[in-house]
Amino acid sequence: INDMIQKVAETSAGLLESEERYRSAFETAHDAIITTDASGKILNWNTAAWKIFGYSAIEASGQSIDMLVTETTRDEAHSKGGNWYRLKEANGGNTVVEMKALKQGGKEVDVDISTSSWSVNDEEFLTIPLRDVTLRKEAEIHQANLSEQLRQAQKMEAVGQLTGGIAHDFNNLLFIMTGNAELVGDSIGGNEKACRQLDAIKSAV
């Protein structure tokens, strides 16, 4: 009996230790980790989820996870006969999806979301990790804008080089025209009519 009691005590201690490790990892994770039942009712909500969405664990507990997405997203998923958070069914087998989520107050935030299901006593549960990728998205947009600005600058540089080359070649031709007009003017002496015509040519050049 004593051996049995000791084994039970050791098992209980091991379970408590395992639960404590899980709880520590759950609360200190950088990503939001949300657990729901099969209907999407929120059961667990870690500190990262609170930081991302603004709801405390008490406020989120018992609420539908539908509150984290737009009405359009919910309607589109339901029209397909499913739920937006069942990613494999809703997104062609993809287990990670980038989407817009809603913070408390209605502000949108970019997130990567994935889901995994598990069962206890034939009851299904879902674990839903979410990662805030807003800063990454902003950086990508900024990078795209910089790339576009660089392309435009390169285009302008190419146009500038082209027009500069054309101007240089054209100036050489104009210099020849002006120089020869000067030589003709020197050779015709006092022919006023011809001199006026040459002046008109030089003025046009």
Side-chain angles (χ1 to χ4, degrees), residues 57-68:
I58 294 175
E59 291 172 317
S61 181
Q63 299 295 322
S64 171
I65 196 170
D66 280 349
M67 73 177 182
L68 301 182

Side-chain angles (χ1 to χ4, degrees), residues 114-127:
S114 60
T115 61
S116 61
S117 61
W118 45 282
S119 300
V120 176
N121 297 327
D122 296 327
E123 186 176 357
E124 185 186 22
F125 299 92
L126 294 169
T127 297

Side-chain angles (χ1 to χ4, degrees), residues 1-202:
I1 294 176
N2 289 335
D3 289 342
M4 290 179 62
I5 294 173
Q6 184 177 354
K7 287 181 180 179
V8 169
E10 289 174 353
T11 301
S12 298
L15 288 173
L16 288 172
E17 183 181 354
S18 177
E19 182 179 352
E20 184 60 32
R21 284 201 302 267
Y22 166 77
R23 178 59 57 183
S24 177
F26 179 79
E27 288 299 337
T28 59
H30 292 295
D31 295 342
I33 302 175
I34 304 166
T35 302
T36 75
D37 63 13
S39 69
K41 184 174 73 174
I42 296 171
L43 304 176
N44 288 299
W45 179 272
N46 72 345
T47 301
W50 174 30
K51 291 179 180 178
I52 292 173
F53 295 105
Y55 299 100
S56 68
I58 294 175
E59 291 172 317
S61 181
Q63 299 295 322
S64 171
I65 196 170
D66 280 349
M67 73 177 182
L68 301 182
V69 295
T70 63
E71 186 175 349
T72 300
T73 298
R74 295 196 299 269
D75 290 344
E76 286 178 354
H78 291 312
S79 69
K80 298 175 183 177
N83 298 305
W84 63 268
Y85 50 86
R86 292 182 177 275
L87 297 180
K88 288 184 179 181
E89 295 88 343
N91 298 282
N94 294 326
T95 56
V96 179
V97 174
E98 185 178 290
M99 61 182 294
K100 294 283 187 182
L102 289 178
K103 301 178 70 169
Q104 188 178 40
K107 184 179 179 181
E108 291 188 351
V109 58
D110 294 297
V111 298
D112 280 348
I113 175 174
S114 60
T115 61
S116 61
S117 61
W118 45 282
S119 300
V120 176
N121 297 327
D122 296 327
E123 186 176 357
E124 185 186 22
F125 299 92
L126 294 169
T127 297
I128 305 174
L130 294 126
R131 175 170 294 179
D132 185 348
V133 295
T134 303
L135 293 179
R136 189 192 75 193
K137 292 290 292 183
E138 290 176 352
E140 289 174 354
I141 293 171
H142 182 63
Q143 181 63 38
N145 289 337
L146 289 178
S147 296
E148 180 60 26
Q149 291 174 17
L150 177 60
R151 283 193 292 271
Q152 291 298 328
Q154 289 171 335
K155 288 180 183 178
M156 294 303 295
E157 182 181 6
V159 171
Q161 291 174 346
L162 176 62
T163 55
I166 292 172
H168 178 75
D169 293 341
F170 198 60
N171 281 336
N172 287 341
L173 297 174
L174 295 177
F175 179 75
I176 293 171
M177 294 167 67
T178 304
N180 279 282
E182 293 285 353
L183 293 175
V184 171
D186 291 340
S187 66
I188 62 175
N191 189 330
E192 293 183 2
K193 182 179 180 181
C195 286
R196 286 198 302 273
Q197 291 171 337
L198 286 171
D199 287 340
I201 291 173
K202 288 188 287 185

